[in-house]
Amino acid sequence: METYTLIVLLLAATIRVATPLLLAALAGMFSERAGVVDLGLEGKMLGAAFAAAAVSAVSGSAWLGLGAGILTAVALSLLLGFACVTHRGNQVVAAMAVNIMVSGLGPTLALAWFNLGGQTPQLDGPGQRFLGLVWPWAQTARETPFPGLLYSELLSGHSLVVYFAAALVPAAAWVLYRTRFGLRLRAVGENPLAVDTAGISVTALRYQAMMISGVLCGVAGTYLSVAASSGFVRDMTAGKGYLALAALIFGKWRPYPTLAACLLFAFTDALAVRLQGVALPLVGVIPVQFILALPYVLTVLLLAGFVGKAVAPRAIGVPYAKEK
Amino acid sequence: MSAPKQLPRWADLALLPLVGLAGALLLSGGIIKLLGESPVQALKLMVDGSLGSQEAIGYTLYYATNFMFTGLAVAVAFHAGLFNIGGEGQAYIGGLGAGLVCLWLGSWPFWAVLPVAILAAAGFGAAWAFLPAYLSAKRGSHIVITTIMFNFIAAALMTYLLVNVLIKPGQQSPETREFAANTWMPFAHELLAKVGVAFTATPLNLAFGLALLAAVGVWVFIWHTRWGYELRVVGQNQPAAVYAGISPPRITIVAMLLSGALAGGLGLNELMGSQHRILIDFPGGAGFVGIAVALMGRNHPVGIFLAAVLFGALYQGGSQLTFDMPRINRDMVVVIQGLVILSCGAMENMFRQPLAKLFGKAGGKNDRK
């Protein structure tokens, strides 16, 4: 029984950790499928996390915070689009610039506005956070552990953002594979010249893709500061944007495999927390750092073609110059 | 009439980075204004805090040493058409190499420790760059992604080593014991005192000279050796390189090894020169500053030296700023750094086209006369 409870709690933690990863990875899927390298996920999430926490702290509304988070991430997306699509700048350089700028800007503004050493105030007022939604009878179900615990811990009790992220996977798959927009998006990432020849604007499509990426990064960032924790702290994304990118590559730029990769990476994270200092049979204590490094190692192995093969969109990272 | 796309060489090398820098500083000034402080006053404080005294200059050049190593690292890879974002991880592991030498060879005289430490720093840094390089050259994986992943793997590895293996027994914070004093880099003020020049005590040390030597070495290598030539050919035109019998995979590995070795040099300055122990996250983002430095410095050692001093001044001046302007902290420097990368790197074309137009017009007038 003890093991069962432990596993259920582990899986519940996995879901919570996977949510921002999944949102960011799906964000990256749209821009990368349109041919724009999205290393800026990290910066966009961090910017949104700060804006959401700041606005929620001042206004007392988590929803206004969400709006501010989305606006900030979209604005950063547009900045990246301006640099990379309009002025055909190097996408990697631009994204690194945004990531570095945001990592400094958040604490700077927080210090100036709230004077709390680069953090935003604790969000503890009513309605300032997206708290877990407790489903009907979740408390009662807990009393009969199997299958009640599955219901009360795994299905119930997560914040709205978690359910949104889960619903987003089939939605993204539908947009990408079943709509005209999705077809064009995929085409512009493979062969922009063909799209241009068909009379469709490459620039407009790439901007649209990046704005979708901005919206989803905005939700992901908001989740970090307003749902999963109560306020913004310095560098709170802690590489989650890059991890999401790794998950996207691991999922071969497809929605469902990306979901699986996010869950796998989140599981290793949740497991690392659980296994801290626990001696396992045969192997003894596994250092936490090794488990935490696992997603990165797996991604490197995948990219090297040792576990399956990840084929990137063909035109990724190449600015499109329309001939005059 | 269309404007010529080519800028004069001097404008491309000097004017464009300066215009980009001016743009970034203007934006930063706007942000400082937004925070309710005076940008002019801030600039004055920063210039004074970074260049106004011997102590300020010492600190500025000490920071610049780190940025020269990482900037050169990024530049060498750039010349081969590779984007090495892994400078942070390579510097971290390179520092481990230098640190281990200092811990083990504590009884050796300094002149014997120094070459071993340099080799270890370069060797460890290069080793950390080797796998991404090999995977890129032989298995076609994307070097940007792999080097990012290796940054995280390096961070995990170093945390493990410092927490579980190298930590000084009976101590809470994950740090090694202090290196024996004979393995420390001589400080600049000590060296200057020997020739009779008085200089305030600062962390500036011999590693600054090593960084200058590395810059000269890179210049010789890139522009005056056969390998450097091959490296530039691969970077500029891969089909031409293949046609000329140059092997791009081999050059990729050579360039990345050299890049990693240069990044490893950071440990000589930071650990042997100042901290005198191995500690968590000692590169402190210098690997990423290297990107800005290489972009601003146009991947040329002279430019990299100037850009590194500029960023050293930003770091030192920025930390002074926090004393006098309580509403601004060191993070503002990170913002400026990001803006410089944005305007000198990504937005380059935005400035290039109007400039080219301007030069085109001026040229046209002269022709008519």
Side-chain angles (χ1 to χ4, degrees):
Chain A
M1 210 72 242
E2 189 122 314
T3 330
Y4 165 72
T5 313
L6 209 66
I7 290 173
V8 172
L9 290 179
L10 193 62
L11 292 179
T14 301
I15 291 176
R16 283 192 291 275
V17 179
T19 298
L21 279 186
L22 179 62
L23 286 165
L26 290 176
M29 191 177 73
F30 279 97
S31 40
E32 298 229 326
R33 273 302 182 94
V36 183
V37 178
D38 212 349
L39 278 173
L41 292 174
E42 177 85 3
K44 287 187 268 185
M45 265 209 292
L46 191 61
F50 167 73
V55 168
S56 175
V58 173
S59 71
S61 159
W63 287 99
L64 283 179
L66 177 66
I70 290 176
L71 277 182
T72 305
V74 169
L76 289 171
S77 264
L78 289 177
L79 176 65
L80 281 173
F82 183 67
C84 305
V85 180
T86 305
H87 287 291
R88 302 199 299 275
N90 185 318
Q91 297 169 3
V92 175
V93 174
M96 290 312 289
V98 165
N99 291 351
I100 291 173
M101 184 183 73
V102 171
S103 76
L105 202 53
T108 303
L109 293 179
L111 181 79
W113 289 344
F114 302 110
N115 212 1
L116 290 169
Q119 302 188 357
T120 59
Q122 280 282 321
L123 300 173
D124 41 19
Q128 278 190 328
R129 290 181 58 195
F130 291 110
L131 294 172
L133 301 176
V134 180
W135 286 19
W137 303 298
Q139 283 305 328
T140 337
R142 199 184 285 269
E143 283 157 22
T144 44
F146 185 84
L149 210 56
L150 288 176
Y151 177 78
S152 68
E153 288 297 326
L154 277 191
L155 288 179
S156 155
H158 300 294
S159 87
L160 199 59
V161 184
V162 176
Y163 303 112
F164 170 74
L168 200 63
V169 180
W174 183 76
V175 168
L176 209 56
Y177 295 114
R178 293 278 179 271
T179 65
R180 180 182 296 193
F181 172 71
L183 178 67
R184 288 175 175 178
L185 199 74
R186 285 181 290 135
V188 87
E190 298 289 336
N191 191 343
L193 181 62
V195 175
D196 199 18
T197 314
I200 303 158
S201 165
V202 174
T203 308
L205 266 173
R206 288 194 167 163
Y207 263 103
Q208 283 164 3
M210 294 189 72
M211 281 171 69
I212 296 176
S213 163
V215 172
L216 298 184
C217 282
V219 181
T222 306
Y223 176 80
L224 288 177
S225 65
V226 175
S229 54
S230 55
F232 170 86
V233 290
R234 177 189 306 264
D235 286 326
M236 76 180 308
T237 42
K240 285 196 180 62
Y242 299 115
L243 192 60
L245 199 66
L248 176 65
I249 296 166
F250 210 74
K252 301 175 186 181
W253 291 270
R254 292 158 204 258
Y256 289 103
T258 299
L259 168 68
C262 287
L263 288 173
L264 174 69
F265 289 1
F267 181 73
T268 58
D269 194 280
L271 196 65
V273 176
R274 284 275 161 192
L275 285 184
Q276 201 135 25
V278 178
L280 293 179
L282 297 180
V283 284
V285 179
I286 300 177
V288 184
Q289 289 84 14
F290 286 3
I291 307 174
L292 287 178
L294 202 62
Y296 305 112
V297 176
L298 284 175
T299 307
V300 169
L301 289 176
L302 177 85
L303 278 170
F306 292 121
V307 274
K309 187 106 188 91
V311 182
R314 196 140 51 96
I316 199 163
V318 188
Y320 180 68
K322 194 182 171 103
E323 278 184 72
K324 292 256 164 82
Chain B
M1 192 191 96
S2 67
K5 277 174 195 159
Q6 288 279 315
L7 277 175
R9 199 174 137 76
W10 68 269
D12 193 49
L13 289 180
L15 190 60
L16 207 54
L18 285 180
V19 170
L21 179 68
L25 287 183
L26 270 179
L27 271 174
S28 313
I31 294 173
I32 291 175
K33 183 100 192 151
L34 204 91
L35 298 177
E37 299 279 5
S38 149
V40 180
Q41 186 64 23
L43 188 67
K44 214 180 264 174
L45 279 171
M46 281 180 83
V47 171
D48 201 48
S50 59
L51 301 169
S53 66
Q54 282 190 353
E55 189 189 3
I57 292 173
Y59 271 95
T60 295
L61 294 181
Y62 159 70
Y63 289 125
T65 307
N66 282 347
F67 304 151
M68 273 169 73
F69 279 121
T70 54
L72 288 170
V74 175
V76 168
F78 257 141
H79 277 293
L82 301 164
F83 198 176
N84 177 16
I85 302 194
E88 189 80 3
Q90 290 144 18
Y92 211 174
I93 301 293
L96 172 70
L100 288 179
V101 167
C102 291
L103 288 171
W104 284 336
L105 302 184
S107 55
W108 289 26
F110 178 73
W111 58 264
V113 174
L114 183 64
V116 184
I118 293 175
L119 280 179
F124 274 58
W128 202 249
F130 173 73
L131 221 56
Y134 175 83
L135 293 177
S136 166
K138 302 282 167 158
R139 317 232 15 152
S141 46
H142 200 305
I143 198 124
V144 169
I145 308 286
T146 29
T147 47
I148 290 179
M149 298 298 126
F150 267 72
N151 282 344
F152 287 106
I153 300 172
L157 180 67
M158 289 297 285
T159 309
Y160 168 74
L161 287 177
L162 285 171
V163 170
N164 298 294
V165 184
L166 295 171
I167 190 170
K168 181 183 173 188
Q171 180 180 256
Q172 281 296 312
S173 60
E175 296 174 358
T176 63
R177 66 180 162 83
E178 196 174 54
F179 304 155
N182 57 310
T183 65
W184 297 3
M185 283 277 174
F187 285 109
H189 54 91
E190 292 170 0
L191 292 173
L192 286 171
K194 275 185 191 156
V195 292
V197 181
F199 195 81
T200 318
T202 63
L204 182 64
N205 60 75
L206 185 65
F208 177 69
L210 295 176
L212 288 179
L213 279 181
V216 175
V218 166
W219 179 74
V220 171
F221 175 81
I222 297 278
W223 281 280
H224 296 276
T225 68
R226 192 196 162 98
W227 276 20
Y229 171 73
E230 293 186 353
L231 201 136
R232 283 181 293 139
V233 175
V234 169
Q236 280 165 22
N237 191 337
Q238 237 182 68
V242 174
Y243 195 66
I246 303 168
S247 149
R250 193 175 57 94
I251 291 297
T252 297
I253 292 180
V254 168
M256 282 300 289
L257 286 181
L258 195 61
S259 179
L262 285 164
L266 180 139
L268 300 174
N269 182 50
E270 193 66 31
L271 299 186
M272 279 178 80
S274 161
Q275 306 280 0
H276 303 140
R277 62 178 70 95
I278 311 176
L279 63 170
I280 291 278
D281 198 30
F282 62 81
F288 297 113
V289 182
I291 302 170
V293 167
L295 283 170
M296 262 222 74
R298 284 282 180 255
N299 298 318
H300 191 284
V302 175
I304 288 171
F305 169 74
L306 294 173
V309 172
L310 175 80
F311 272 93
L314 272 177
Y315 262 66
Q316 169 56 16
S319 47
Q320 287 301 306
L321 206 58
T322 46
F323 291 117
D324 298 295
M325 293 189 166
R327 299 170 72 81
I328 293 179
N329 58 3
R330 271 188 81 148
D331 295 306
M332 190 59 217
V333 178
V334 181
V335 179
I336 299 177
Q337 181 192 325
L339 288 171
V340 169
I341 300 180
L342 196 67
S343 62
C344 291
M347 302 282 219
E348 196 187 276
N349 288 333
M350 192 176 83
F351 297 116
R352 186 188 290 274
Q353 273 151 10
L355 273 180
K357 226 173 238 173
L358 212 68
F359 278 105
K361 264 183 198 158
K365 268 178 205 158
N366 290 341
D367 285 350
R368 251 171 259 142
K369 279 175 190 168

